[in-house]
Amino acid sequence: MQPLSYLSREQLADELLATPAPEITVPGTAPLHAGHLGTLTTEQRCLQRKLALAREILLRDLAAPLQRRNLLQSPVAVREWLMLRYCQAEQEIFTVLYLDVKLRLIRAEDLFAGTLTHTSVYPREVVKQALSHNAASVIVAHNHPSGDCVPSPADQLLTRVLAQALALVDICLRDHFVIGCDQIYSFAERGLL
C-alpha cells in the first residue's frame, strides 16, 4: 500500500469515504501504541487508517494557503500546521520549509528523522536542498517527542551553524521552531536569529 503522501487528494477522499468490508485488513497501518494495546482488530485498524487519511487531507488543506501568502505575516497558521503535523510523532523529525523571495512556501520537506531523543542533521544537505528548490530563505523545525519545547544546547549550536552555512549561499534562515506537545519555541521570537 502506498504511503499517504503519494496519494492524490481525490484518492485520499475516495479511500476515506469507502466503506471497507469487516473482513478486509488494512496493511501498512501501524498501531498507535501496539505494545500497550496488544493486537488491534480489523475494525480498529480500519478506523486508524481512516483517521490517518483525514489527518493527511487536513494537513494538505492547511498547507495550501501557506503557498499563497507571506509566511511571516501568518505565523499562527505556520505554528498550527507544524503542531498538527509533528506533535504526535514518536521520533524526532527535522523539516525544512523552503520560501521564495516573497516568503511564500515553495515546499515543506522532512529531511531527517531520528530516535526518541536525537536526530542527526547535516547542514550541507539543508543547503543543497534549499538550492535545489531555489529558495531565497528557509524556516526549519523539529519536534521533541518528550513534549518539552525548550531547545537543547545542541539545538542552539545547530541553529547558528545552519544560519552561517545558508548565509554563504545567500539564503536566509528565518526561524527555527522546536515543537513540543502543546507549545512551540521560536528562535526568531527570542532574538536568537
Side-chain angles (χ1 to χ4, degrees):
M1 180 170 286
Q2 286 184 323
L4 296 181
S5 60
Y6 292 153
L7 299 177
S8 70
R9 190 177 194 293
E10 291 76 25
Q11 290 170 315
L12 291 168
D14 288 346
E15 187 178 338
L16 178 63
L17 297 175
T19 306
E23 67 275 8
I24 296 175
T25 60
V26 182
T29 305
L32 292 175
H33 301 287
H36 300 290
L37 297 177
T39 305
L40 294 178
T41 66
T42 300
E43 291 81 15
Q44 288 170 324
R45 285 194 306 273
C46 288
L47 177 60
Q48 192 173 42
R49 177 69 177 185
K50 297 255 185 212
L51 290 172
L53 291 163
R55 183 176 180 273
E56 182 67 21
I57 290 170
L58 178 61
L59 284 169
R60 289 184 189 187
D61 287 351
L62 288 173
L66 299 178
Q67 294 174 327
R68 295 188 296 269
R69 63 180 167 196
N70 179 321
L71 290 190
L72 299 183
Q73 291 178 346
S74 52
V76 172
V78 175
R79 285 171 175 268
E80 287 174 354
W81 182 78
L82 288 170
M83 185 72 76
L84 180 63
R85 185 163 178 177
Y86 298 105
C87 74
Q88 296 295 323
E90 294 181 356
Q91 81 247 20
E92 279 198 16
I93 300 170
F94 185 89
T95 192
V96 181
L97 285 76
Y98 306 102
L99 310 178
D100 66 13
V101 294
K102 294 189 176 192
L103 302 174
R104 295 175 301 204
L105 182 65
I106 297 170
R107 182 168 184 207
E109 183 175 39
D110 295 341
L111 278 188
F112 308 103
T115 64
L116 181 63
T117 60
H118 182 265
T119 299
S120 295
V121 177
Y122 302 95
R124 170 189 162 87
E125 293 302 313
V126 175
V127 171
K128 186 170 109 178
Q129 288 300 104
L131 288 170
S132 75
H133 291 295
N134 201 27
S137 58
V138 298
I139 295 173
V140 298
H142 77 282
N143 65 310
H144 282 174
S146 68
D148 182 8
C149 69
V150 176
S152 68
D155 294 337
Q156 294 173 15
L157 176 61
L158 173 64
T159 304
R160 288 191 300 271
V161 169
L162 280 173
Q164 292 169 354
L166 289 162
L168 290 173
V169 291
D170 201 28
I171 298 173
C172 179
L173 177 60
R174 295 285 176 185
D175 208 342
H176 181 175
F177 292 111
V178 181
I179 305 150
C181 186
D182 58 356
Q183 295 181 340
I184 294 184
Y185 182 98
S186 165
F187 278 77
E189 286 177 4
R190 303 289 173 117
L192 300 174
L193 274 178

